[in-house]
Amino acid sequence: MEEGKESSGSNWEPKLITFLCNWCSYAGADLAGVSRIQYPANTRTIRVPCSGRVNILYILRALQHGVDGVLVSGCHPGDCHYLSGNFSARRKFAVLSRLLEYVGVEKGRVQFSWVSAAEAGRFAEVITEVTEDVKKLGPAKRLVKNSD
Amino acid sequence: MESGRYSNIKIIANAKIESLKGQAGNYNVTVLKRPRYVDEDLCTACGTCVSYCPVEMPDSYNEKLVNSKCLYIPYPQAVPASYVIDPKYCLFQTKNECRQCEQACKDLKAIKLNQQAEHIDIQVGSIILAIGFDEFDARRKKAYGYGEYPNVITSIELERMLSASGPFTGKITRLSDRKHPKKIAFLQCVGSRDIETNAYCSSVCCTYAVKEAMVAKEHDPDVDITIFYMDIRTQGKGFESFYERAKTKFGIKFVRSRLASLERIHESENLLFKFVTEDGKHHSEEFDMAVLSVGLEPSRTAKELADTLGVKLNKEGFCQTNEFSPTSTNREGIFVAGAFQSPKDIPESVIQASGSVALASGFLSEVRGTLVEQKECVAETDLTGEDPRIGVFVCHCGVNIAGVADVKKIREYVETLPDVVYAEQSMYACSKDNQDKIKQIIKEHNLNRVVVAACTPRTHEPLFQETIREAGLNRCLFEMANIRDHCSWVHANEPQAATEKAIDLLRMGVAKARLLSPLKEETVPVIPKGLVIGGGLSGMIAALSLADQGLECVLLEKSKLLGGNLRGIYYTLSGNDPQKLLRDTIDKVTSHPKIKVFTEADIKEVTGYIGNFLTRFSIGQEEQTISHGVIIVATGAFEYEPKEYLYGENESVITQHSLEEKLALKNFNSDDLKDVVMIQCVGSRTKEKPYCSKICCSQAIKNALKIKSIKPNSNVYILYKDIRTYGFREEYYRKARNEGIIFIRYDDNTLPLVKEENGELRVEVFDPILGENILISPSLLVLSAGVDPGDNRSISKLLKVPLNFEGFFLEAHVKLRPVDFPTDGVFVAGLAHSPKPIDETIAQAQAAAARAAIPLTRGYVMVEPVASIVDSEKCFGCGICEYLCPYGSIKVISDEDGDKAQSISASCKGCGICASKCPRQAITMGRFTNEQIIAQIDAFSLATSDV
Ligand SMILES: Cc1cc2nc3c(=O)[nH]c(=O)nc-3n(C[C@H](O)[C@H](O)[C@H](O)COP(=O)(O)OP(=O)(O)OC[C@H]3O[C@@H](n4cnc5c(N)ncnc54)[C@H](O)[C@@H]3O)c2cc1C
Ligand code: SF4
Ligand code: SF4
């Protein structure tokens, strides 16, 4: 794996984690499946009840351990199954973005989006975009702990 | 879709009622179940058969825009989720050949080409009719060229086109050349408000056209959209601001006009609209596409069903009901809900559905619970001290997964993971047979955790959880990896990558599964008593429906008298007597043994949660406290007190309300009615009060017609923005025009001017038809003052339920949960929710009672094991969680150990906001603990991808 990390050659494929809220984005991803909309295979999903459940530590942990990018996707504003969870998440990520910038993690490595249960096409687009963005950035090096 | 999962709901699809015998409380229904040629119990909806079926037919779910096989699932969320064969197209049914599908499904044997129709007899106490509507067949309006001009489509076809899962993956497409149109015209009222076809207003088309136009703009901001209309009727809650946004933010053009002709331009297949605007000017404009906003008609099966059941239809062909009992048919014990009663939107339909249930349950209250299917309960195995022993089932899903990913390789890999003691491949993990197999394997291998790699947990997790529970494992010892919807289906051309992804997802799932622990499924008892706040029409009806279902309730009214706004309504548009309704309802409420009424009651404090509320209120000097299980908020609203048009300064300026009183109590002299001007939308649809009050147009027409009947030679002028006599009310608008009532339209730029000159009133208004200002000296100026929510902040605070920015109470979900609050056990009805007329208030009050009765009759509430759990060692009582929790489900309590947060699991929804924000990481969530999520992350990030 460490080898793969070193060479950001043409066949390097980024490893991405997506946190999807159960009610909107996870459902949107399901619908993308039902609709057979194709998108890159780089992401691995972790289902959470609400995007508000995602702790900043999870994201840092992922980046430290060699994940190249993270996407957190929740419901649209006003549509949150839990009333305000996605706003809470949003505010948290505003703080996180500044923090990441401060420690030198490139913009685009950690992204936040809103995808509803009906937006299969949008889900596929978001995944494609995030994958492309992270590909351009190359492997995540900044936070990776060498000892792991 | 949810209804498919309740064990007490039996769905018989593809069926019709053949006959009805007996009477209310004891009906005998004979149902004809047509063959579907697929066994619903065996079919797992894998879809393998579809690729074998050689026959194509037009797909009616996708408005015949594309083809589907004659072996199909009607739409993605269909219940039962199994295939069905259309016998009109099937080669076996028509020519006795083919049988390909049978061959394809030889393992499951779900295809039953020889299935016959069945007759099923059912005993029921009451019946609810919810057969909905059919869309107007636009071909009947020949002049619009639908069915002939390729680029004229209906709004329903556009809806499918806009859907991401639709035939053109969300792209609007011209059928003539598959290009994306840049200029689209909507034509309103096709098959509505039209004497040639349907005279009534379909109520929903304005709102859906506005919505579709906005979605189309979102998909393609360059598209230019014009909506041609007579009146825009967005009277429903929240819809007016929607309309405003469409105009101002989205730049959608609204043109009030009459269409003269719609012509096809052959070379370009564009469409030429020729239309006349209000000022009488003729215009023409070319568009790439025309969308017909088709109306709602009675279902084509309505007549036959009504005849079979002996239920009367109204002259429009919808189910006949009375204004004051909107969900009852003429036959006792038979109720109606939704668009079969009158054209209506989703929230109204859902409200009526619940409302009709309240009445139907009234009939069943004596036998309630006797037929409930109880599942046998196996004792849970105690796992304390046991190491994880995980069993993994990797599903082929026919070819859905196995056709892309290498399932064997996945299974072999999984076997190498720590704590996995058993792994197996299943053809269909969700099939009935396989459930038995899972149970057997759990026993044989002493499994204490199960992971299934298959489709989505959103639909299938409950099934597998049920299975492991039957094998004695706690439901929470289960995890799923979605290797179909999120993998094989979306990486269909990358078998290698899909296999790797599936392996990763499983490794993550197993990592989580190792840390799963059993969680207790708690139940909390419910005090079987309801509290209704507000003694207006909605409060009284809600209390009565609870009481008629055998439940006790307390009704608290702030003022001296029951009745609220109903006290001031003397007649209705359709001629019923609201004062009789008022008297009858008050009589019933005050004499009902199960209802306790307190007037002049002032609520001081409400504490507790669903099942266990405690309310303290005062009556004069005295204080009382009651405990109850649920709360219905029915606090109503007020008539807006106008600040405009010399109201309060000139005594000839009055509101509709006082006009109604004058007319009813004959408190006027004949000269008062000589020249009456009414101004609509006073205190509605303005900057300060942006919503539509929904009732005032009908109220104005009702009073105007009354004046005409009292004094036929009077002049009545109604100055309006749009006349919103939706549904069957349209008839009275037409009548008003026929009787010579003069309608003059104004808008925000041409507001009427009211002055007093030498003690006389003068109204000046621009008449768009004449193109000039006109001057009237009215004997009475009547303001159609809107509905004002009043100040609901204190109730909102006491109950911790939200208000919308207009000051009305805000429900949990506008469409799907229109009478629930997000806080469990608290419901809303009537004007407190939004402006609405009497019939809708009654239906909503019944709906709130039906929803409230659920926990009351069940006697307990189940607590989902997802709730927050506080580690009091770590917690230092900062209270951030309490502040952030949207449900008031976590509280800081002081005791001898200091301040500590405590979770109220009965009302916690498990969102986890508290857990993610706790500075001490002291809170964790039942099925999504920090450790579990981190284990998933690590299982992906730290693993070497040497597979
Ligand atoms: C001006 C006006 C004209 C109307 N005209 C028509 C018409 O012509 N045709 C038609 O079909 N519909 C009409 N309606 C609508 C009709 O009045 C309502 O649909 C229906 O009466 C509403 O009943 P409600 O119980 O929801 O509200 P309300 O009638 O407002 O009753 C609410 C009750 O709750 C009490 N209350 C409020 N706060 C508290 C509290 N904190 N504690 C205890 N009690 C409280 C109030 O005192 C009141 O008695 C009109 C409404 C208005 C405002
Ligand atoms: S008068 Fe009332 S019902 Fe009519 S449009 Fe204005 S606010 Fe709506
Ligand atoms: S999980 Fe959500 S609902 Fe439950 S206590 Fe925490 S914030 Fe409140």
Side-chain angles (χ1 to χ4, degrees):
Chain A
M1 184 186 91
E2 286 304 313
E3 269 169 22
K5 284 250 145 265
E6 295 313 313
S7 64
S8 58
S10 58
N11 49 10
W12 172 76
E13 285 292 334
K15 292 173 84 166
L16 304 170
I17 282 192
T18 53
F19 290 97
L20 304 182
C21 81
N22 185 43
W23 305 97
C24 296
S25 297
Y26 196 96
D30 283 352
L31 188 60
V34 173
S35 319
R36 309 294 200 276
I37 304 173
Q38 305 293 306
Y39 55 81
N42 302 61
T43 56
R44 306 293 181 260
T45 294
I46 295 179
R47 183 166 71 120
V48 286
C50 172
S51 54
R53 174 73 187 97
V54 179
N55 197 311
I56 290 181
L57 293 178
Y58 303 162
I59 297 170
L60 295 177
R61 175 101 174 188
L63 293 176
Q64 277 171 347
H65 287 182
V67 168
D68 302 302
V70 177
L71 168 73
V72 179
S73 187
C75 312
H76 281 268
D79 245 4
C80 177
H81 188 79
Y82 301 106
L83 316 176
S84 54
N86 53 357
F87 276 120
S88 160
R90 187 91 233 190
R91 277 196 297 271
K92 200 156 54 189
F93 290 107
V95 178
L96 176 67
S97 309
R98 281 191 296 263
L99 177 83
L100 290 172
E101 217 168 298
Y102 179 74
V103 297
V105 172
E106 310 87 324
K107 224 171 150 202
R109 221 178 256 299
V110 177
Q111 298 195 22
F112 191 92
S113 75
W114 286 325
V115 174
S116 79
E119 294 174 317
R122 186 175 145 79
F123 179 79
E125 279 163 25
V126 169
I127 296 292
T128 312
E129 274 169 35
V130 173
T131 311
E132 289 305 314
D133 289 352
V134 176
K135 249 189 201 161
K136 277 191 211 118
L137 292 172
K141 294 210 176 98
R142 190 65 214 175
L143 291 176
V144 178
K145 286 189 191 158
N146 291 325
S147 55
D148 279 321
Chain B
M1 198 166 66
E2 222 177 309
S3 58
R5 276 194 234 125
Y6 283 96
S7 55
N8 296 313
I9 299 179
K10 185 172 162 63
I11 297 175
I12 307 178
N14 213 2
K16 76 168 198 186
I17 295 189
E18 285 186 312
S19 72
L20 174 75
K21 290 194 205 79
Q23 63 278 320
N26 188 17
Y27 279 123
N28 190 334
V29 189
T30 309
V31 175
L32 170 76
K33 182 172 187 227
R34 301 185 193 91
R36 68 188 293 134
Y37 307 106
V38 176
D39 186 325
E40 315 154 30
D41 291 333
L42 296 179
C43 173
T44 60
C46 71
T48 310
C49 51
V50 176
S51 47
Y52 288 82
C53 174
V55 186
E56 294 217 337
M57 62 171 198
D59 178 357
S60 49
Y61 174 60
N62 280 316
E63 294 299 317
K64 309 199 169 154
L65 297 169
V66 287
N67 282 340
S68 72
K69 291 294 181 65
C70 82
L71 178 60
Y72 64 105
I73 289 188
Y75 48 92
Q77 301 83 5
V79 173
S82 90
Y83 278 82
V84 49
I85 292 175
D86 188 329
K88 288 197 294 298
Y89 291 88
C90 168
L91 290 178
F92 180 74
Q93 307 299 339
T94 51
K95 303 196 181 110
N96 206 0
E97 50 196 46
C98 181
R99 307 196 89 140
Q100 294 277 348
C101 51
E102 231 174 27
Q103 203 44 38
C105 192
K106 62 178 181 304
D107 293 333
L108 285 173
K109 299 198 179 48
I111 305 269
K112 305 276 184 224
L113 289 171
N114 293 317
Q115 209 173 50
Q116 297 296 318
E118 269 180 84
H119 301 271
I120 306 171
D121 279 331
I122 313 170
Q123 301 284 344
V124 295
S126 44
I127 299 172
I128 297 174
L129 308 177
I131 59 170
F133 64 93
D134 270 316
E135 67 190 82
F136 172 76
D137 178 3
R139 265 169 275 258
R140 281 167 59 198
K141 291 298 281 183
K142 284 224 163 49
Y144 301 155
Y146 176 73
E148 195 181 331
Y149 312 165
N151 296 327
V152 175
I153 64 169
T154 68
S155 45
I156 317 236
E157 286 166 335
L158 181 65
E159 183 86 32
R160 286 311 301 152
M161 280 191 189
L162 289 170
S163 164
S165 59
F168 302 114
T169 59
K171 301 231 162 50
I172 306 178
T173 306
R174 277 165 45 112
L175 294 180
S176 66
D177 51 14
R178 307 270 146 171
K179 283 200 182 124
H180 306 311
K182 285 289 159 209
K183 236 181 132 206
I184 304 176
F186 281 75
L187 182 60
Q188 294 307 107
C189 297
V190 175
S192 304
R193 303 182 66 188
D194 169 30
I195 331 210
E196 281 174 24
T197 56
N198 297 311
Y200 56 85
C201 158
S202 292
S203 303
V204 298
C205 344
C206 284
T207 306
Y208 77 56
V210 170
K211 181 201 80 178
E212 286 182 0
M214 281 162 71
V215 176
K217 270 278 200 195
E218 268 171 0
H219 284 215
D220 178 4
D222 295 334
V223 63
D224 178 287
I225 299 179
T226 306
I227 298 185
F228 293 97
Y229 73 101
M230 295 193 269
D231 295 280
I232 287 295
R233 292 185 170 169
T234 43
Q235 65 276 339
K237 186 177 187 181
F239 296 160
E240 185 67 17
S241 56
F242 215 61
Y243 170 38
E244 265 317 301
R245 238 176 343 133
K247 276 192 290 194
T248 50
K249 285 239 170 80
F250 284 72
I252 292 161
K253 283 175 239 157
F254 288 83
V255 179
R256 192 185 293 265
S257 57
R258 297 252 166 200
L259 190 69
S261 71
L262 195 166
E263 291 162 21
R264 173 187 196 173
I265 303 171
H266 277 277
E267 311 78 70
S268 60
E269 283 299 354
N270 284 352
L271 301 149
L272 188 67
F273 274 64
K274 293 190 171 160
F275 57 96
V276 189
T277 41
E278 272 175 304
D279 51 12
K281 291 204 179 104
H282 289 255
H283 309 256
S284 66
E285 196 173 343
E286 201 176 317
F287 292 91
D288 301 345
M289 179 181 252
V291 180
L292 306 181
S293 292
V294 287
L296 272 47
E297 286 192 335
S299 160
R300 303 201 212 299
T301 59
K303 182 83 182 56
E304 191 189 340
L305 180 71
D307 288 345
T308 313
L309 300 181
V311 162
K312 283 202 188 109
L313 301 181
N314 65 13
K315 64 177 185 296
E316 289 84 5
F318 290 85
C319 186
Q320 186 169 44
T321 54
N322 180 293
E323 189 177 10
F324 299 155
S325 48
T327 54
S328 302
T329 69
N330 60 302
R331 265 195 94 165
E332 212 189 352
I334 304 188
F335 305 96
V336 59
F340 180 36
Q341 191 257 343
S342 69
K344 58 174 63 66
D345 59 12
I346 298 174
E348 285 302 326
S349 300
V350 174
I351 287 170
Q352 274 201 343
S354 295
S356 61
V357 166
L359 297 183
S361 318
F363 264 93
L364 303 177
S365 63
E366 280 165 31
V367 292
R368 191 198 293 273
T370 50
L371 289 177
V372 175
E373 260 179 47
Q374 296 288 2
K375 294 225 164 138
E376 63 173 313
C377 204
V378 182
E380 245 174 55
T381 323
D382 183 13
L383 299 177
T384 9
E386 273 186 38
D387 286 334
R389 295 179 59 80
I390 304 175
V392 181
F393 296 82
V394 188
C395 183
H396 286 228
C397 196
V399 293
N400 283 291
I401 294 169
V404 179
D406 185 341
V407 176
K408 179 160 167 277
K409 190 166 166 191
I410 299 171
R411 197 250 309 146
E412 284 167 0
Y413 175 79
V414 169
E415 284 171 344
T416 67
L417 291 172
D419 295 333
V420 172
V421 294
Y422 182 87
E424 159 178 305
Q425 293 164 232
S426 331
M427 188 46 89
Y428 295 101
C430 61
S431 69
K432 275 225 163 92
D433 292 351
N434 203 52
Q435 303 317 301
D436 295 335
K437 183 147 187 214
I438 293 178
K439 282 189 253 181
Q440 186 197 331
I441 288 172
I442 290 176
K443 298 235 165 71
E444 270 171 27
H445 295 262
N446 237 338
L447 301 180
N448 56 22
R449 309 269 187 300
V450 172
V451 177
V452 173
C455 51
T456 171
R458 292 181 55 259
T459 57
H460 280 63
E461 192 174 61
L463 170 80
F464 293 115
Q465 285 184 312
E466 199 54 40
T467 303
I468 71 162
R469 182 65 195 79
E470 284 165 19
L473 289 183
N474 180 282
R475 260 177 250 276
C476 299
L477 298 170
F478 177 77
E479 181 62 21
M480 258 183 117
N482 189 342
I483 61 168
R484 188 187 73 180
D485 307 42
H486 291 194
C487 190
S488 65
W489 273 353
V490 291
H491 312 307
N493 308 318
E494 303 170 82
Q496 169 83 23
T499 307
E500 271 169 38
K501 180 167 175 178
I503 284 175
D504 284 342
L505 290 173
L506 248 172
R507 180 162 10 85
M508 293 161 76
V510 167
K512 180 172 180 184
R514 296 174 65 199
L515 297 174
L516 292 173
S517 53
L519 293 172
K520 215 160 107 207
E521 291 177 67
E522 284 178 86
T523 58
V524 178
V526 170
I527 299 165
K529 187 194 272 184
L531 171 71
V532 180
I533 308 178
L537 180 61
S538 57
M540 292 193 293
I541 296 284
L544 274 175
S545 351
L546 282 180
D548 285 345
Q549 294 181 64
L551 298 162
E552 252 179 78
C553 68
V554 173
L555 179 63
L556 295 187
E557 165 58 47
K558 174 170 76 173
S559 68
K560 278 204 174 70
L561 295 170
L562 292 176
N565 281 298
L566 188 60
R567 303 195 78 85
I569 306 176
Y570 295 90
Y571 42 87
T572 68
L573 196 55
S574 44
N576 290 303
D577 180 0
Q579 291 296 314
K580 183 168 180 322
L581 172 71
L582 175 71
R583 284 190 305 273
D584 291 353
T585 315
I586 293 180
D587 279 354
K588 279 191 216 153
V589 166
T590 47
S591 63
H592 204 298
K594 297 252 177 208
I595 304 177
K596 220 167 165 182
V597 180
F598 294 95
T599 50
E600 295 180 271
D602 186 12
I603 300 190
K604 299 286 186 206
E605 191 188 29
V606 183
T607 54
Y609 45 86
I610 181 170
N612 294 282
F613 288 107
L614 204 66
T615 298
R616 187 161 59 82
F617 61 96
S618 68
I619 297 170
Q621 300 301 330
E622 252 179 80
E623 281 213 349
Q624 290 217 27
T625 306
I626 50 167
S627 50
H628 50 101
V630 296
I631 304 175
I632 296 177
V633 178
T635 50
F638 306 91
E639 186 179 46
Y640 167 73
E641 190 178 329
K643 294 180 197 64
E644 38 286 85
Y645 304 123
L646 302 183
Y647 181 79
E649 292 170 41
N650 183 310
E651 60 183 27
S652 302
V653 183
I654 59 174
T655 64
Q656 288 289 357
H657 206 82
S658 20
L659 171 66
E660 182 164 341
E661 194 168 84
K662 267 185 197 298
L663 297 176
L665 306 179
K666 308 214 163 38
N667 189 4
F668 57 89
N669 61 48
S670 171
D671 278 351
D672 286 349
L673 304 185
K674 205 165 143 279
D675 296 288
V676 181
V677 171
M678 298 182 176
I679 301 180
Q680 298 306 105
C681 299
V682 177
S684 301
R685 305 179 65 189
T686 61
K687 273 221 169 58
E688 299 73 41
K689 298 204 161 279
Y691 56 91
C692 164
S693 291
K694 204 173 188 181
I695 53 168
C696 8
C697 280
S698 306
Q699 211 187 357
I701 286 175
K702 167 181 98 172
N703 289 340
L705 285 169
K706 192 76 173 181
I707 293 175
K708 279 289 195 184
S709 75
I710 297 171
K711 190 176 162 76
N713 63 352
S714 63
N715 294 310
V716 184
Y717 305 84
I718 299 185
L719 317 186
Y720 72 102
K721 287 178 136 177
D722 293 275
I723 289 292
R724 294 185 165 169
T725 42
Y726 57 100
F728 303 137
R729 293 168 182 83
E730 182 70 7
E731 179 183 340
Y732 301 95
Y733 178 30
R734 183 167 302 110
K735 184 163 178 224
R737 284 196 175 262
N738 290 342
E739 297 206 356
I741 291 163
I742 299 155
F743 288 84
I744 302 171
R745 198 186 58 79
Y746 74 89
D747 58 38
D748 287 339
N749 302 320
T750 58
L751 289 176
L753 215 68
V754 176
K755 282 183 296 204
E756 197 184 290
E757 279 174 17
N758 314 322
E760 295 235 343
L761 276 178
R762 297 257 188 282
V763 178
E764 190 179 346
V765 64
F766 176 78
D767 182 341
I769 296 177
L770 302 175
E772 57 191 44
N773 281 2
I774 58 167
L775 199 67
I776 314 166
S777 306
S779 45
L780 266 186
L781 174 61
V782 186
L783 306 182
S784 291
V787 178
D788 187 329
D791 188 355
N792 286 320
R793 279 173 302 184
S794 77
I795 290 286
S796 151
K797 273 218 191 84
L798 281 174
L799 301 179
K800 294 172 207 74
V801 294
L803 298 174
N804 67 11
F805 63 89
E806 295 152 357
F808 292 98
F809 286 96
L810 180 64
E811 61 275 34
H813 191 287
V814 175
K815 284 203 187 104
L816 304 176
R817 294 177 60 198
V819 300
D820 302 8
F821 278 116
T823 311
D824 284 341
V826 191
F827 307 88
V828 63
L831 293 183
H833 165 272
S834 67
K836 55 178 67 68
I838 292 172
D839 50 347
E840 291 169 26
T841 286
I842 293 176
Q844 201 180 19
Q846 290 166 343
R851 300 284 300 163
I854 296 172
L856 293 184
T857 47
R858 189 185 286 144
Y860 62 88
V861 280
M862 283 284 266
V863 179
E864 283 275 326
V866 288
S868 52
I869 303 163
V870 182
D871 180 344
S872 53
E873 299 275 291
K874 287 190 190 159
C875 172
F876 66 129
C878 69
I880 289 183
C881 52
E882 176 170 349
Y883 172 73
L884 287 171
C885 174
Y887 306 96
S889 294
I890 194 160
K891 287 216 157 41
V892 175
I893 312 263
S894 309
D895 60 14
E896 59 270 28
D897 301 335
D899 294 350
K900 300 284 172 198
Q902 243 175 47
S903 166
I904 302 170
S905 44
S907 60
C908 170
K909 301 274 197 224
C911 63
I913 291 174
C914 53
S916 79
K917 286 288 186 67
C918 174
R920 285 279 181 104
Q921 309 280 330
I923 307 174
T924 191
M925 302 305 304
R927 294 191 57 210
F928 298 90
T929 66
N930 282 335
E931 293 71 26
Q932 289 164 3
I933 295 178
I934 287 171
Q936 281 175 287
I937 298 171
D938 290 355
F940 173 46
S941 60
L942 296 178
T944 43
S945 28
D946 53 0
V947 281

